[in-house]
Amino acid sequence: MFEQQLLNALSLGSVYALFALGFTLIFGVLGVINLSHGAVFMLGSYIALTLVTRFELSLGVATVLAMAGAGLAGLLIDFLVLRPLRARNAPHLMPMIATIGITIILTNVVQGISGAEILRFPQGIVPEESFDFSLPWQGADSEPLHVTALQLLIVLISFALMGLLLATMRRTQLGRALRAIAESPKAAYLLGINVEGLFLLTSFVAAALGGVAGVLIGLSFNAITPFMGQSVLHKGIAVIILGGMGDIRGAMIGGLFLGLAEVMSVAYLSSDFRDAVSFGLLFLILLIRPAGLFGSVLERKA
Amino acid sequence: MNFSLRAITSFLLCIGVAGAASAADIKLGLAAAMSGSAAQYGESIKNGFTLAAEQINAKGGINGNKIVLIVEDEQGKKEEAINVFKKLIFQDKVLMLFGPTLSNSAFAADPIAVQAKTVVFATSNTAIGITDMGTYVFRNSVMELDVLPHTVRAAVKRFGIKKVAVIYGNDDAFTKSGYDVFKQVLADQKIPVLTTEAYARGDIDFKAQLTKIKATNPDAVVCSCLAEEAANIMIQSRGLGLRVPFIGGNGFNSPKLFEISKQAANDTIMGSPWSSADKSPANVAFMAAYEKKYKKSANQFAAQGYDALYTVAEALKKLKLTGNIETDRQALQTELPKVQLTGATGKFKFRRAAPKAGKQGGYDADQAAVVNIAQGGKFVVLK
């Protein structure tokens, strides 16, 4: 049972990590806690669902278009809401509150169009293969491990995206510019970096990541609702705080840690106390490392 | 600025006047969750009521008077339910009101109706204690306590179940109260519970709990869950190789269970006051009319809303309304408990709730449950 639970934890953790990647990217570059990330995530799911059911596109095409659609939404959110606030030097909390407003609007628009019912992708388009396998050290009579193709896909995609983001940030000119902005937008601007342009690009990429997370999670959990962003958003906030605000590795490790804490508290303690245990652990870690596992926010401020 | 404000105000006043009911209208309020996560039930409930109101009015209304349904969104929240109740009772001066959608909200808002001596009629509140709040509280939603003993007994008989595992949502009044009843029923029928697992609202991954359940090797899984959660729980169980039947309550009674879970739900046993498999003329007519109007299949929430309006219409037919709202509200409270009818949910009458701590209670549903089994993507009546 332990190995199966470990597998469950890896797949749940990857879901959290996948969501948190875009979330933490926006914070890292723009310095904004963008609470509309949950709504954009939901939007991605609905766009793909509509394209697949109404326009009968293939899942691959629908996913790419959903990424683009969600990215566009992120772009518009930055252009219409966050940029005017930046231009007026609004205090830190303002953009966060504004993104709560965007969440409410998007949720209600989607509910108005599609209704509040829980929807799912039609059967048949979703890869439904699952694999059973035994680990070499397990006895022949023990239960084999079960994993579905989608679970594997989510794990792989979230690791691949993390790798891609990290490589971009570390190794490319673009990444250098983004890191400069994260350090100080003003200084970056003075150095001739197109700060506003890169803000828009970051918003697009982060929202597209949120969108693809929405599609994948919608596919594997069959629970597409206008409110699907809310509970994952709460977990997402916990993950990026745990990992260190704005840190990409942190989002990944934080996501996996939260998944592990949740699954193991269900497996070996009690499912009644799952959130108490996992958030209690999170609290303990923050007591020891207030800036999160990989955080450098505090040092930078000091 | 000033001018436009005045223009808006007078415009709003105009709408208000135009919308006011004429003397021959009977105003009934409906507080339902039309937004927020309970909206999936609120929508069906509103549809059921609207359909019944249209049918009644099309047949000439009640003694010539038309029914006017005033629907307000209580968002599935306690605070909003209180606001909506106050608006309907004191501002719109409705004769009586239906709702709210969730038991949680009912505990907060029903006392307002009771104080105002106005009948409040719930169609979806199944928690224990709702009707203890006062003599003006009515419901046609059957308590799980009346249904689940039949369900469990039927499941045991069908599959020879000796031991079960339980999974339920522990932060929702409906699923938690369903769990409490299941626990009692399982203890009464001496069926050992191997493990009890909980999840929280909004969860989508249940594999940790299910892996644990599978390790205990149960004959069946008792699941106090809403249909959408249950569907995912079933799919994930099958994915983990857990292939035993599920036993559930009212929450399972939705087409969504099969839309989401497809064949994974097969062999699920569910007890409920309404069944889409019930071929009585009243139910067949209701389901056909519902599907024609809304282009989707009816569910239990719609059926209970639909029946509730017919129940009240039955009482109203016998009343001579005076136009004095307080007298009329009182008269309705006296007349409503006498109603008996056969609706979409079958034979229905009220049963007086037992007095608690010397306080008179309201009226619960007195109705037989149907036990169903899932076969080939739909529920059929288990014989």
Side-chain angles (χ1 to χ4, degrees):
Chain A
M1 190 173 94
F2 175 74
E3 287 85 356
Q4 180 67 46
Q5 291 291 24
L6 213 56
L7 203 63
N8 294 341
L10 180 67
S11 102
L12 180 63
S14 300
V15 167
Y16 294 151
L18 190 59
F19 177 84
L21 280 175
F23 200 23
T24 207
L25 184 66
I26 293 203
F27 181 84
V29 177
L30 275 74
V32 170
I33 298 182
N34 185 350
L35 295 180
S36 68
H37 198 63
V40 169
F41 160 89
M42 175 272 297
L43 204 61
S45 220
Y46 270 91
I47 294 174
L49 181 69
T50 312
L51 291 174
V52 166
T53 52
R54 290 269 173 83
F55 301 97
E56 295 178 1
L57 295 182
S58 75
L59 189 60
V61 178
T63 306
V64 172
L65 290 178
M67 272 180 90
L72 206 64
L75 200 77
L76 285 176
I77 290 169
D78 187 64
F79 189 75
L80 298 175
V81 182
L82 298 181
R83 199 178 68 141
L85 288 174
R86 277 199 298 275
R88 287 169 204 191
N89 263 329
H92 255 71
L93 279 176
M94 292 265 229
M96 191 173 95
I97 302 300
T99 55
I100 295 180
I102 297 164
T103 305
I104 295 173
I105 293 170
L106 283 178
T107 310
N108 281 293
V109 166
V110 170
Q111 195 196 329
I113 297 171
S114 297
E117 287 173 310
I118 296 186
L119 304 172
R120 67 163 288 170
F121 281 95
Q123 252 183 345
I125 68 149
V126 185
E128 274 166 22
E129 291 86 3
S130 62
F131 310 101
D132 287 2
F133 60 93
S134 300
L135 295 169
W137 60 85
Q138 283 183 310
D141 55 334
S142 71
E143 278 285 327
L145 299 183
H146 300 269
V147 60
T148 64
L150 269 170
Q151 271 177 293
L152 283 180
L153 194 69
I154 289 183
V155 174
L156 289 178
I157 286 187
S158 43
F159 273 100
L161 284 176
M162 179 195 68
L164 195 68
L165 277 179
L166 269 183
T168 314
M169 286 306 235
R170 294 267 173 85
R171 307 241 180 267
T172 65
Q173 190 63 33
L174 175 68
R176 223 161 289 152
L178 286 174
R179 276 184 289 146
I181 295 176
E183 207 62 43
S184 159
K186 276 211 180 93
Y189 178 72
L190 290 175
L191 287 169
I193 293 172
N194 180 358
V195 175
E196 278 302 324
L198 287 181
F199 275 169
L200 283 177
L201 179 71
T202 306
S203 298
F204 180 86
V205 171
L209 287 176
V212 75
V215 177
L216 284 172
I217 292 169
L219 276 175
S220 57
F221 294 107
N222 305 308
I224 302 172
T225 80
F227 318 102
M228 65 190 281
Q230 280 168 14
S231 55
V232 75
L233 183 73
H234 297 159
K235 303 279 165 78
I237 294 174
V239 165
I240 68 169
I241 290 176
L242 177 66
M245 303 288 284
D247 192 281
I248 290 163
R249 280 168 309 162
M252 197 72 207
I253 304 288
L256 291 177
F257 178 85
L258 186 63
L260 192 70
E262 286 193 353
V263 167
M264 290 307 160
S265 58
V266 168
Y268 296 104
L269 295 163
S270 156
S271 44
D272 261 319
F273 300 114
R274 181 194 64 188
D275 288 349
V277 171
S278 47
F279 283 88
L281 268 175
L282 197 142
F283 177 67
L284 279 181
I285 290 182
L286 290 181
L287 276 183
I288 301 161
R289 285 192 63 90
L293 294 172
F294 292 87
S296 50
V297 181
L298 295 184
E299 291 117 49
R300 191 184 296 157
K301 288 247 168 78
Chain B
M1 198 64 183
N2 247 335
F3 172 75
S4 66
L5 247 183
R6 209 176 303 148
I8 291 169
T9 323
S10 53
F11 175 66
L12 286 178
L13 276 175
C14 282
I15 294 181
V17 172
S22 66
D25 289 345
I26 302 172
K27 284 195 287 182
L28 306 177
L30 168 61
M34 304 305 301
S35 58
S37 52
Q40 44 185 318
Y41 314 111
E43 283 181 359
S44 304
I45 291 170
K46 182 189 166 199
N47 288 348
F49 272 103
T50 313
L51 179 64
E54 279 176 10
Q55 289 181 351
I56 293 170
N57 286 340
K59 285 182 200 142
I62 291 160
N63 305 333
N65 298 336
K66 286 231 169 327
I67 288 182
V68 177
L69 207 56
I70 303 176
V71 186
E72 290 288 339
D73 178 10
E74 44 91 350
Q75 300 175 18
K77 294 178 189 152
K78 292 179 196 161
E79 305 77 22
E80 257 339 280
I82 291 173
N83 289 338
V84 163
F85 267 47
K86 284 183 177 161
K87 176 183 178 286
L88 288 171
I89 294 172
F90 302 113
Q91 195 179 321
D92 296 329
K93 300 215 181 324
V94 295
L95 181 61
M96 53 95 51
L97 48 88
F98 296 100
T101 300
L102 302 179
S103 298
N104 261 348
S105 317
F107 284 120
D110 283 7
I112 294 166
V114 173
Q115 265 172 16
K117 296 199 183 337
T118 306
V119 168
V120 54
F121 188 153
T123 64
S124 57
N125 303 158
T126 51
I128 296 166
I130 294 281
T131 45
D132 293 345
M133 283 185 280
T135 50
Y136 284 83
V137 185
F138 290 71
R139 64 172 156 188
N140 69 356
S141 33
V142 182
M143 279 188 296
E144 299 275 50
L145 194 56
D146 291 333
V147 179
L148 296 184
H150 300 287
T151 315
V152 172
R153 215 168 289 130
V156 167
K157 194 171 150 221
R158 167 87 185 208
F159 294 110
I161 292 162
K162 298 208 170 50
K163 51 201 192 324
V164 297
V166 178
I167 184 165
Y168 75 106
N170 68 355
D171 58 348
D172 176 280
F174 172 74
T175 53
K176 174 74 170 64
S177 132
Y179 161 69
D180 291 337
V181 176
F182 264 126
K183 194 170 148 188
Q184 193 188 325
V185 169
L186 290 169
D188 288 348
Q189 302 189 9
K190 300 196 171 49
I191 300 167
V193 176
L194 302 169
T195 176
T196 301
E197 297 300 321
Y199 62 85
R201 208 179 333 188
D203 278 5
I204 45 176
D205 189 329
F206 308 93
K207 287 196 278 292
Q209 289 92 327
L210 294 171
T211 303
K212 205 172 157 189
I213 286 179
K214 183 171 180 246
T216 66
N217 203 13
D219 296 331
V221 178
V222 168
C223 178
S224 180
C225 319
L226 301 174
E228 293 81 0
E229 295 158 350
N232 250 325
I233 288 174
M234 289 166 188
I235 295 176
Q236 290 174 24
S237 302
R238 306 314 181 215
L240 288 166
L242 177 65
R243 299 190 199 287
V244 297
F246 278 79
I247 304 170
N250 246 333
F252 280 19
N253 199 6
S254 154
K256 281 282 149 196
L257 186 74
F258 298 106
E259 276 169 39
I260 299 170
S261 75
K262 308 286 173 189
Q263 302 295 327
N266 275 350
D267 281 348
T268 297
I269 304 265
M270 177 271 296
S272 151
W274 178 82
S275 165
S276 57
D278 173 15
K279 297 289 175 230
S280 72
N283 192 38
V284 169
F286 158 71
M287 286 177 65
Y290 190 93
E291 206 158 329
K292 186 164 169 240
K293 184 166 163 62
Y294 301 108
K295 311 275 173 268
K296 50 182 155 188
S297 35
N299 59 28
Q300 176 202 328
F301 296 99
Q304 285 176 323
Y306 178 86
D307 276 2
L309 194 61
Y310 271 103
T311 310
V312 168
E314 220 32 58
L316 286 173
K317 274 183 201 159
K318 304 215 173 67
L319 285 185
K320 216 166 158 56
L321 295 177
T322 61
N324 178 331
I325 191 78
E326 277 159 31
T327 326
D328 289 347
R329 281 172 175 172
Q330 178 60 53
L332 179 63
Q333 194 272 340
T334 321
E335 195 60 40
L336 194 52
K338 299 174 196 159
V339 175
Q340 294 193 17
L341 91 169
T342 305
T345 58
K347 276 206 175 76
F348 175 82
K349 62 179 194 280
F350 285 108
R351 181 183 66 201
R352 187 93 203 229
K356 286 255 167 71
K359 202 178 138 211
Q360 291 294 322
Y363 297 86
D364 286 318
D366 188 354
Q367 200 171 23
V370 195
V371 179
N372 301 277
I373 182 164
Q375 277 173 355
K378 63 181 200 299
F379 277 122
V380 296
V381 177
L382 178 65
K383 298 242 164 61

